[in-house]
Amino acid sequence: METAIALVSGGLDSVVALAKGLEIYDVKLMLTFHYGQRAWPQELKASQAVASHYAISQRVIHLPWLAELLPKALKPKQSAFPQSELLEDSSLLGLPSSHNIDPAYTETAKVWVPNRNGVFLNIGAAIAEAYSAKIILFGANVDEAQGFPDNTQEYRDYVNQSLSYSTLVNVQVETPVGELTKAEIIQEGVRLGVPLEKIWSCYEGSEIQCGVCPSCKLLKTALASCDKPVSIAFGND
Ligand SMILES: [Zn+2]
């Protein structure tokens, strides 16, 4: 069985990507990134619950410099970091038009973190190579790809091309839910017995998922289209 590592935030996509990856890979390690996001305490709790559920070691990677670059929407309300100049300028918040971003997703531009997935995947590749793991499991999916060019299959393929030069063991990124919508990811999660009640997909760090942030909205819409009831609670229900 090929060895893999998984990038797991504790949200729906990365957790179901991990569960699907476990069907075919020996997943040695889960990486969880702490970059000053407001939801960190909840993401940590969710990802720890997932690591414990699947009995996989977890390593938390702290990226304090990335915390300085966060948009307001993701920062803790009492942030010690100054707002970055790049994201103060709202004209720079738009995503590149060359990637055909769905206009309905312009709201997600407000939660854009500069090169987040590029940074995560390259850190993951360095750690994978050191662990002699050739596969990185990554939770990109169809719904996120409409708003985020770094969730597309095209992006994954370019990263893999780049990693074939920057790693000696040819580490490759796999996106087990890359062709699925959120609703299909939930159905896969149910089929695989994923502890969906433990996930955290919300940008906020409240006790319960807020139900109104862009990530919660996508999740709620997907849940509404599911045949079976899934126990994911939201604050405004
Ligand atoms: Zn939310």
Side-chain angles (χ1 to χ4, degrees):
M1 211 179 212
E2 191 82 75
T3 304
I5 67 164
L7 310 190
V8 179
S9 66
L12 173 74
D13 313 321
S14 63
V15 174
V16 177
L18 165 68
K20 281 182 75 66
L22 281 165
E23 294 189 299
I24 45 173
Y25 296 116
D26 175 18
V27 182
K28 286 278 186 226
L29 182 71
M30 255 176 61
L31 295 185
T32 303
F33 294 95
H34 177 205
Y35 53 98
Q37 67 273 45
R38 192 183 296 166
W40 171 245
Q42 298 293 2
E43 287 186 12
L44 179 63
K45 197 170 141 197
S47 59
Q48 283 174 334
V50 169
S52 151
H53 179 84
Y54 290 109
I56 299 173
S57 304
Q58 181 185 30
R59 182 163 174 179
V60 173
I61 308 289
H62 298 280
L63 302 172
W65 57 270
L66 189 53
E68 295 175 33
L69 308 178
L70 285 191
K72 274 190 186 125
L74 296 187
K75 279 189 184 206
K77 297 226 161 65
Q78 303 295 325
S79 176
F81 298 108
Q83 180 68 23
S84 77
E85 282 178 30
L86 171 72
L87 294 161
E88 280 289 358
D89 182 348
S90 59
S91 68
L92 292 170
L93 278 175
L95 290 164
S97 57
S98 61
H99 294 291
N100 301 319
I101 300 306
D102 185 330
Y105 284 77
T106 50
E107 202 179 348
T108 56
K110 293 175 190 159
V111 293
W112 183 256
V113 180
N115 198 21
R116 173 170 49 187
N117 287 343
V119 169
F120 290 179
L121 288 169
N122 271 286
I123 291 174
I127 292 171
E129 187 166 32
Y131 275 72
S132 299
K134 288 196 177 165
I135 302 295
I136 303 171
L137 299 170
F138 172 52
N141 62 88
V142 168
D143 284 335
E144 300 283 343
Q146 291 183 61
F148 297 94
D150 60 354
N151 267 259
T152 58
Q153 300 300 288
E154 188 186 16
Y155 172 67
R156 179 205 58 191
D157 293 343
Y158 280 124
V159 168
N160 282 340
Q161 253 186 35
S162 161
L163 291 177
S164 72
Y165 290 87
S166 64
T167 61
L168 291 179
V169 300
N170 194 21
V171 173
Q172 295 285 282
V173 177
E174 282 208 9
T175 51
V177 298
E179 309 283 345
L180 305 183
T181 63
K182 290 267 179 197
E184 290 165 338
I185 294 172
I186 293 168
Q187 280 161 16
E188 271 299 279
V190 170
R191 181 183 74 81
L192 292 166
V194 172
L196 294 173
E197 70 287 353
K198 290 180 178 157
I199 63 161
W200 190 269
S201 286
C202 179
Y203 290 138
E204 300 297 332
S206 320
E207 279 305 300
I208 192 160
Q209 302 198 94
C210 78
V212 292
C213 74
S215 182
C216 279
K217 276 187 195 164
L218 271 179
L219 184 55
K220 281 183 87 170
T221 308
L223 281 167
S225 70
C226 282
D227 309 336
K228 290 183 192 165
V230 178
S231 62
I232 298 177
F234 293 98
N236 64 346
D237 285 346

